[in-house]
Amino acid sequence: MKIKNRTIRAKPGSPEGRAGHSGFASASAAFALSRGWSMEKVSATCGVSGLDLVNPTDRLPDDAMPRLWLALWNEWPDEALPLQMARATPLSSMAGLAEGMQFAANLREALQLLTKNRMILGDRLEMEIVESDGVSLLKGDHPSDQIDRGRWAAVAVALTVRLIRETLGVENAFAKVRLMSEPWGRTEEYDAYFGVPVEFGLPINQIFFREGALDESIRHANTELFAYVSQHFEHALQRIRKDVYPAELEGLREAITDNAADGVFSGQAAAERSSMSLRSAQRLAAAHGHSLRGLIDQVRRTYAEELLADARISTGRVALLVGYSDDRAFRRAFKRWTGKTPSQHRRAEKAAGV
């Protein structure tokens, strides 16, 4: 049985590909327009077309928003524009994550959904919940924060705080806030907005929670709905992962995919099909932040999920088709990729009606 050939391509855009969800971009463009900017000026500043900025399904270069917010800061350095933007931005700009988080059982579970699916908001966005020695915090950063020294990230932090208060209904969750950016406007405005002490000029953005806050119940908690939206975002992540690879890796990805159609999943075979040595293929992948084995496993995972969608194919047969002679090794690999065993994945897909 041959697997259907399916080439996974990177979208055009910046050298890193199309990286950021456009919901924030649309809101930021609208905010700049409300300050008197023309769409032409917004587009030129961001480096993308106005159509891309307002297209809710597009993903934009990850330097677009920092460039815009650096320009806004240069024009209005004495106004707390990040706070104004956070107040005005619809929470729907978060690609549905805000709506999904409201069905979590508690704040911890809601934030776990956010951090797990951070790639939906930005391909290189890093976000982590830390709980240690009685201290709980959410921290986040992105490589493009260096462009505007975290000014755009300050908007995201302020919006996250608003989300927790308004949508999740956890009013007094916070202990303090640390921002990478310097104050934009009067510091008193930040203290009033966050309701807790705010520190500026730090290496990373952090939201600290008061003791016990992560265990606070969410007012609209719904176990079934939360399971459904979690599954929805898992599929969204799978689609995004297929689109984030830079154009320089397209040939190698095509070779891996073509080999997969023949049931071949070795690095040597991928290199030969790309007309390069194994070492050259490994160097090429590493130069763009990947490993050759990781690229192969991404394709392997995609095909495994496609095969598991057909209930007529046993998991043992799926294991063989994606290059595992040992069913146990396939189960371990699949759980490493997805957090579920193949059988658990099938049950979850069936429950979600996929």
Side-chain angles (χ1 to χ4, degrees):
M1 176 179 178
K2 284 187 78 172
I3 306 172
K4 181 182 177 183
N5 193 354
R6 178 173 171 182
T7 301
I8 299 171
R9 301 178 184 275
K11 293 183 179 179
S14 68
E16 294 79 19
R18 302 294 244 183
H21 176 65
S22 66
F24 284 142
S26 298
S28 292
F31 183 76
L33 293 173
S34 75
R35 303 290 301 190
W37 281 27
S38 67
M39 180 54 83
E40 291 75 14
K41 183 174 181 178
V42 175
S43 298
T45 301
C46 294
V48 296
S49 71
L51 183 61
D52 285 338
L53 284 168
V54 299
N55 184 350
T57 64
D58 203 1
R59 293 178 70 78
L60 304 177
D62 57 16
D63 64 345
M65 288 304 95
R67 290 172 60 182
L68 175 61
W69 280 87
L70 181 60
L72 289 170
W73 178 82
N74 286 331
E75 193 156 335
W76 291 287
D78 299 323
E79 294 187 44
L81 295 192
L83 305 183
Q84 295 179 26
M85 171 73 181
R87 291 188 182 99
T89 300
L91 292 171
S92 58
S93 64
M94 296 181 67
L97 282 167
E99 290 82 356
M101 289 167 68
Q102 69 180 317
F103 301 124
N106 53 45
L107 180 56
R108 179 183 291 101
E109 193 173 78
L111 294 175
Q112 287 171 344
L113 182 72
L114 177 64
T115 57
K116 179 181 179 180
N117 295 285
R118 63 191 182 277
M119 192 178 185
I120 292 174
L121 303 177
D123 294 342
R124 296 192 293 163
L125 176 64
E126 294 296 330
M127 191 180 294
E128 181 184 4
I129 304 167
V130 178
E131 297 184 72
S132 177
D133 299 326
V135 176
S136 303
L137 62 94
L138 175 67
K139 65 179 182 178
D141 69 290
H142 191 283
S144 64
D145 288 342
Q146 300 303 320
I147 297 173
D148 67 348
R149 288 298 302 158
R151 292 183 174 91
W152 162 237
V155 180
V157 172
L159 193 64
T160 301
V161 167
R162 179 184 153 209
L163 160 65
I164 292 170
R165 284 181 174 144
E166 294 184 7
T167 302
L168 306 187
V170 185
E171 295 286 344
N172 301 307
F174 311 106
K176 65 180 174 181
V177 171
R178 289 178 173 173
L179 297 176
M180 175 184 285
S181 70
E182 296 297 334
W184 188 346
R186 295 182 300 111
T187 57
E188 293 83 357
E189 294 182 74
Y190 288 82
D191 292 336
Y193 180 95
F194 290 108
V196 292
V198 182
E199 301 173 10
F200 300 92
L202 279 298
I204 195 170
N205 298 293
Q206 297 173 317
I207 301 173
F208 286 78
F209 299 96
R210 64 171 175 77
E211 187 175 355
L214 297 188
D215 297 313
E216 289 281 342
S217 298
I218 305 301
R219 60 187 172 197
H220 297 301
N222 185 308
T223 302
E224 292 183 359
L225 283 176
F226 189 70
Y228 173 80
V229 298
S230 297
Q231 189 70 30
H232 163 77
F233 286 120
E234 185 169 324
H235 285 291
L237 277 179
Q238 290 171 16
R239 291 192 297 272
I240 291 168
R241 288 189 182 107
K242 296 168 188 174
D243 290 332
V244 300
Y245 296 99
E248 291 83 353
L249 290 180
E250 184 172 338
L252 187 55
R253 290 279 295 175
E254 285 184 353
I256 292 169
T257 305
D258 290 342
N259 281 344
D262 297 324
V264 177
F265 295 90
S266 78
Q268 183 66 52
E272 290 175 357
R273 196 153 193 158
S274 301
S275 301
M276 64 178 78
S277 68
L278 175 60
R279 185 59 183 150
S280 295
Q282 291 170 333
R283 286 198 191 103
L284 176 62
H288 295 281
H290 299 277
S291 69
L292 181 58
R293 174 51 51 192
L295 294 176
I296 293 171
D297 280 348
Q298 281 288 334
V299 174
R300 225 173 195 176
R301 169 182 172 167
T302 296
Y303 282 117
E305 289 173 340
E306 289 178 354
L307 291 165
L308 288 169
D310 188 338
R312 297 170 298 178
I313 307 175
S314 69
T315 56
R317 180 63 174 161
V318 173
L320 290 172
L321 289 169
V322 297
Y324 287 93
S325 58
D326 184 345
D327 187 29
R328 291 174 297 178
F330 170 60
R331 287 199 302 270
R332 288 195 298 270
F334 194 85
K335 189 166 186 178
R336 185 177 71 251
W337 299 333
T338 68
K340 299 184 181 74
T341 66
S343 297
Q344 290 170 337
H345 175 81
R346 269 186 162 160
R347 288 195 294 270
E349 296 288 286
K350 184 177 180 180
V354 177

